[in-house]
Amino acid sequence: MESAQGGKALPRTVRLLIAARAVNRLGAFSLSFLTVLTTTNFGASAAVAGYISAAFGLATIPSRLIGGRLADHVGTRRTIVIGLTGCALAQLGLALSSGLVSAACFAVLLGLAFEIYEPPSQAMIADVVAPSEQVRAYSLLNVALAVAGMGAGLLATGVGRWDLRWLFALDAVTCLFCALIVHLVLPADRPAAKAAAERAVSAAPWRDPSLLVMLAAGTLFAVVYLQLMAMLPLSLELRGLQPADAGLLFTTSALTITSGQPLLQLSRVASISASAAFISGYLLLALGLAWYALAHNLVAYIAATIVWSVGDLLLVGRAYAFVAGLAPTGAKGRYLAVYGTSWGIGGIVAPLTGTQLLEHVGPTGLWCAASLACLVLAALHPAWIRTASDRARGETPFLDQAADPPATG
């Protein structure tokens, strides 16, 4: 296996998976309009619309766990197809709903299907990519989703002017198209006998202390990161700027992460240890968020966004590669699913804490608190990594040097 510096192409399976997921993400713009759909088309109050959105968010937590279990038991390709098809059916249900009750039911069903395809996508990468290349593979997946997300916003601007229902209908079409691509071009799942032999290895993710430590760290990170997604527009408005400028800042972040991908292949960057990468990434995030606390014009916000996005570049994909290294054979789906619930938990905690902080201490206090959380992560993560490495089953070389070629090959 060539080093990251050598720039060896990722396996065809990974490239096809990333392309399929990007197509899916290109159409995944409807969820931002779920609250608006329930208020304008079905006459719900703002409070009821909020409850429906919260119910969707809660449903995504078991959805990811279901995806992990299915990935380990019926195969990654089948699970991705099941998840995407389920999303499509729920979105079509929303588009065709005639009343608020049916719309709310389909919103919950969408939440239950929404995260099913995430664990198998991540597990498929871990199965076919060498440990030394997994960080790059996960990073490319996230970059592809970010770039497609920018295009999704443009599509939403055009389609949403006709009828909000069309957003959900078009999203359903992209899900079905992505499912078809996955079914036709990705390798078939391994024979059941071989999978059963692998599953014979006992695996209890919720009893693995190393994974639980990573889950705690991931949840804190998710809470901080989702503050950016949920609270940045409100923060800009309180500073006298246009809330819509948050879209420009999100685009700046995506462009920074995308253009910075070649840096991950430089030998000096690719060879740094997991501890050093996590520390550097969290410190840059802390600096960028602290800059937000002081910023009072758009130029300062853009500069701060570039700084924290470089930190995100160092972190994206690294945690998933680390967790995949913790998982025993045949349990990657379940391990990645448990770790991924951090985003579901963060999705509930972030808006609650963020709105309270904005109300009581304003934007300055919000971003200072987020920056402090990143400093805590930077201080504690090296110890957590050492603990996880000590507990790992024969994979210590990879866990200690997440971006390095494994010592054992």
Side-chain angles (χ1 to χ4, degrees):
M1 172 64 68
E2 295 180 24
S3 68
Q5 185 184 16
K8 183 175 180 178
L10 293 170
R12 179 175 178 271
T13 297
V14 174
R15 288 182 277 121
L16 290 171
L17 174 64
I18 290 175
R21 289 295 308 279
V23 170
N24 172 234
R25 181 66 181 91
L26 190 62
F29 44 68
S30 60
L31 287 179
S32 300
F33 298 88
L34 178 59
T35 302
V36 180
L37 177 73
T38 53
T39 55
T40 59
N41 287 53
F42 302 113
S45 65
V48 170
Y51 292 141
I52 293 174
S53 295
F56 165 85
L58 283 172
T60 62
I61 297 177
S63 172
R64 193 176 283 260
L65 296 175
I66 292 169
R69 181 162 290 276
L70 286 175
D72 291 339
H73 285 76
V74 305
T76 53
R77 191 182 73 169
R78 291 191 189 94
T79 304
I80 294 173
V81 171
I82 290 171
L84 290 169
T85 303
C87 284
L89 294 176
Q91 286 160 339
L92 286 174
L94 274 167
L96 298 174
S97 290
S98 58
L100 180 60
V101 174
S102 61
C105 291
F106 280 115
V108 174
L109 289 175
L110 179 59
L112 289 172
F114 192 72
E115 298 283 355
I116 286 177
Y117 56 75
E118 286 291 353
S121 297
Q122 296 155 1
M124 183 177 286
I125 291 175
D127 286 338
V128 301
V129 178
S132 60
E133 294 290 324
Q134 285 180 9
V135 172
R136 183 162 69 99
Y138 286 120
S139 296
L140 287 175
L141 173 61
N142 282 277
V143 167
L145 297 181
V147 173
M150 290 189 287
L154 298 176
L155 283 174
T157 301
V159 176
R161 294 180 186 277
W162 299 340
D163 189 327
L164 290 176
R165 293 173 186 266
W166 281 105
L167 293 174
F168 291 87
L170 185 57
D171 199 349
V173 171
T174 61
C175 283
L176 290 175
F177 185 55
C178 182
L180 181 63
I181 294 175
V182 169
H183 178 72
L184 293 178
V185 304
L186 292 186
D189 294 312
R190 289 168 293 180
K194 184 174 181 180
E198 291 181 343
R199 291 198 303 269
V201 178
S202 176
W206 290 105
R207 297 180 182 178
D208 189 327
S210 301
L211 178 61
L212 296 181
V213 167
M214 288 299 295
L215 174 59
T219 300
L220 180 56
F221 173 75
V223 170
V224 171
Y225 197 87
L226 292 175
Q227 299 292 355
L228 290 165
M229 304 298 106
M231 297 297 113
L232 187 53
L234 291 174
S235 174
L236 291 173
E237 186 176 30
L238 291 173
R239 287 276 168 84
L241 301 174
Q242 290 294 324
D245 287 339
L248 174 61
L249 298 180
F250 294 146
T251 301
T252 299
S253 175
L255 290 174
T256 301
I257 294 173
T258 303
S259 60
Q261 282 300 303
L263 295 176
L264 296 178
Q265 300 186 41
L266 297 177
S267 59
R268 184 168 296 182
V269 177
S271 62
I272 63 176
S273 67
S275 296
F278 279 119
I279 291 173
S280 301
Y282 287 132
L283 288 178
L284 285 170
L285 274 173
L287 177 60
L289 294 174
W291 201 333
Y292 272 179
L294 302 175
H296 285 82
N297 58 67
L298 188 57
V299 173
Y301 272 98
I302 290 174
T305 299
I306 293 173
V307 171
W308 71 252
S309 296
V310 174
D312 191 27
L313 175 67
L314 293 174
L315 296 171
V316 165
R318 196 171 292 274
Y320 287 108
F322 192 91
V323 172
L326 286 175
T329 303
K332 284 184 172 61
R334 280 168 286 170
Y335 266 64
L336 289 164
V338 169
Y339 177 73
T341 59
S342 59
W343 291 98
I345 300 170
I348 298 170
V349 175
L352 295 177
T353 57
T355 51
Q356 289 297 313
L357 286 169
L358 279 178
E359 182 178 350
H360 291 94
V361 295
T364 300
L366 168 66
W367 300 122
C368 282
S371 178
L372 178 61
C374 291
L375 292 176
V376 170
L377 286 169
L380 296 181
H381 226 105
W384 290 338
I385 291 174
R386 284 194 298 272
T387 300
S389 298
D390 291 341
R391 295 179 182 274
R393 290 158 292 276
E395 300 192 50
T396 302
F398 166 61
L399 293 172
D400 285 338
Q401 306 287 337
D404 296 345
T408 59

